[in-house]
Amino acid sequence: MKGDPLERADLSGYHGYQRRLARGAFTVSVMTGLLAYVAGYGAAAKGLVLGSLFSVLNFVLMAQILPYQLGVGANRTRATGIALGSLGVRLALMAVPLIVAARSDRFNFWAAAAGLFTIPVAIFVDHAFLQRFSRFRIQEH
Amino acid sequence: MAFDHVTWIKAASYLGSGLAVGFGAIGAALGEGYTAGKANQVLAYRPRMSGDILKTMLVGQAVAESAAIFALVISMLLVFGGLGGPTPLSAWAYLGAGLAAGLSAVGSGVGSGFPAAAACEGIGRQPKASGQVTLIMLIGSAITQTPCIFGLVIAFLLMFVDFSAKPYYPYWAALLGAGLSTGLAAIGPGAGGGLVGASACKSVARHPEAQRPVTTAMLVGIGTTQSTAIYGFLISLILLFKSFPASTSYVPSFALLGAGFAMGFGGIGPGIGEGITGGYALDQVGRIPEKATLLTRTMLVGQAVSESTGIYSLVVALLLVLNA
Amino acid sequence: MKDFKKKRDTLEYLALVTQLGLTMAGSILFCFVIGYFLDKWLHTKGLFLVIFIVLGVVGGAVTVYRQITQLPKE
Amino acid sequence: MEELTKVWTWSLDVAGFHLVFNATTIVMTLTIMGLLIAFGWFATRQTGLVPNPFQVVAELFVETFWNLTKDALDEDMAKTYFPLICSLFMFLLLCNWIGIFPYMEEPTKDLNTTLGLGLMGFFIAHYAGIKTKGFAAYAKEYFQPVFFMMPLNVIGELAKVISISFRLYGNIMGGSIIILVVSHLVYGLLIPPFLYAFFGLFVGTVQAFVFTMLTLVYISVQVK
Amino acid sequence: MEFSGADLIRAAALLGAGLAMGLGAIGPGVGEGYAAGKACEAIGRRPEEAGLLTRTMLVGQAVSESTGIYSLVVALLLMFVVQ
């Protein structure tokens, strides 16, 4: 491969976006969890926070793997293989909160499962609503 | 060799769990691989854009992965949910749940990859339209997840509705057929919806001012594409909740299994075909937005005709269910 | 009122188009039932069934074609 | 699902034939007819420039469907068929909506009702065709474009009846199936009311409109 | 559970009917969709020829529909004629 394009690339915006999204999503889910805890749904709150913690972890891992995957993307079979491998690892990681929640009474299983969808929901909310208002808009270039 | 039903139920739920997460991962990985390939092509002539392209890819894949996470939740519930049952009927229910969740995640996983790839390409071509393109991509891949949600609902029903009082024959086939019908029928509409979404992203990148007609046409296109998934869902519900008399032969069981296969496989072709139609139509909507009405109407006619094979499958499946 | 008319046109179009596949299936099913009972009545094994299904398929195709050509133009 | 197949029937043996009457459908249809007649009476009791609420609703229906019928048929033809179209829509709308109320069943959930309405539309459309064109011209149309198309044309006309009635039946029945399944799922009363509202109101309105529209289109095709 | 040969044949016929219709619907569905897609593309190029293109599309779809109809006929025969 002649000259890795990623070495010349400007990835600061990408990392900034990833950090901002992960932090925002986790903060909102912890707030929701706290509210639920105060309201008396302790197990659900813990499950939600546990699930969203692993969702954020998964997202960060995925974001770290992506540039590498882009490098090998010219060969689609290899790219798919790497995607399958990384997805397998990340799914195994995301299985952890589900197993913990299923085995223990202190975490609500359904809340943990819902927590795993923190990042997709956050992305959707971010793009569909927050991007409309300039205060929250990502600084482009 | 004879095992008691507890062994069978355990074995079936482990098998179902493996199928669910395996199929789910394969679908999402195929989608991601496709996205990576397209993104790499764009990167070759736009190396400066790598940050934006990576961002789009990340957003697209994070949403696409929810199909795999649905399958993961079902799979973990099957293994660790403490499920069991007094009769061997539960074994078939758990196998059906795994198949429904896994197979339906294949279509949505692959399908969500197409809009993500098209969005990477579009942003490389028209960096100024990145906001609109990302929004269209998100809407497209979110609706593409609908067949997967049908699979999830059927899997939950199979796991948590109590079928233990029902006779073993022919209910084993009804439960397995319910899983197969929704799971297989979700593959085509998932992939087809992705094709429509991909063309919508391309169109918006080409003509950002045509965002409104493109969004409307995309919603109509994906909506009609998913009708076969709805047929599969309906057949599953009928299989699950219609009461069948206990039988003393294999005939009703195989009729019900046949109904599941008929609607399941029958939903694949029309789903993909309607998606291809919608894709081409949306390409042209983006090219000449002022002809959007004519194109949407032609698209609907074409989709309606290609849907007819799906309706034949529905009729055959209904006849098989009623015959049982 | 203009808006309602536009919406109504779309709804009418959608109604006619979604009717197409059902018309095809309905015609086949109708002929199938006729053939099935003719078979039972005359004690033939599937002869009339096949003839009538083919008839139903062609009839359905003709009807669908007619309906499409009669669809309101813009 | 057992609730769906369980119906209240009266059976009767007349001259060697075993007749089964679907009592739920009959009672509900009669109820709806009574409601519509009452509505008509209230709407026309004291017509005036300052209308009472019933009159407002009735005028809305009449105006909308008068325009619709006028577009599809000629003005004098529309005068003949407009009452049918308008009352068909009002009847279907009430039929599809009545499932919202507890202990009430949609008559359109029964295939007999929809098939009957479809057959009614079929006969009216063909009667209209014969009346306007004369029997010879009407019969000649079946031999267009070539003579052996006759059976195909007949099948096509009959297929319309089946498809139009199965469509209405399938939609209303599908809504009921989904509501039942969800009620099984949640074991509660929280979500079903919303679903009732959605399926009863939205899908019911659209399907009633579509059925009326299709009947009108079939009539207009025969008349032209 | 005891079963006779006739039972087995009937059961296999019903399962076969389901598989015939299901698998037979894949090809026509994709093919007709492709035809309709190409027609949409052509209409986008030349909107003034929409009528001709729609008619051509319908003829092509009717031809590719025939295999789906064969599966339907076979499925119905398997269901109602094989005893």
Side-chain angles (χ1 to χ4, degrees), chain D residues 56-132:
Chain D
V56 172
V57 176
E59 275 176 4
L60 186 75
F61 275 119
V62 167
E63 206 177 309
T64 312
F65 279 88
W66 172 245
N67 287 329
L68 219 99
T69 323
K70 214 171 54 184
D71 283 355
L73 307 167
D74 296 337
E75 178 102 26
D76 52 335
M77 194 71 86
K79 265 180 199 153
T80 321
Y81 293 105
F82 157 71
L84 167 82
I85 296 300
C86 191
S87 47
L88 181 63
F89 177 74
M90 282 161 76
F91 176 73
L92 282 174
L93 193 68
L94 209 54
C95 280
N96 295 346
W97 279 6
I98 206 155
I100 302 170
F101 303 108
Y103 304 110
M104 296 278 188
E105 301 260 342
E106 299 96 335
T108 37
K109 224 164 71 176
D110 189 348
L111 187 54
N112 297 312
T113 310
T114 57
L115 205 56
L117 289 171
L119 278 172
M120 182 193 79
F122 170 79
F123 282 122
I124 288 171
H126 286 260
Y127 170 71
I130 294 173
K131 206 177 146 195
T132 47

Side-chain angles (χ1 to χ4, degrees), chain B residues 20 35 38 58 85 92 95 112 116 131 138 154 163 183 191 207 252 284 300 309:
Chain B
T35 314
K38 266 277 153 33
L58 181 69
W92 295 104
L95 190 60
S112 308
L138 279 173
I154 290 296
F163 292 105
H207 278 285
Q284 298 303 320
L300 275 175
T309 40

Side-chain angles (χ1 to χ4, degrees), chain D residues 157-179:
Chain D
E157 287 303 316
L158 290 171
K160 281 180 186 170
V161 180
I162 296 184
S163 64
I164 191 178
S165 32
F166 267 91
R167 176 203 182 92
L168 181 61
Y169 164 73
N171 276 293
I172 303 300
M173 194 67 176
S176 312
I177 290 176
I178 290 174
I179 290 167

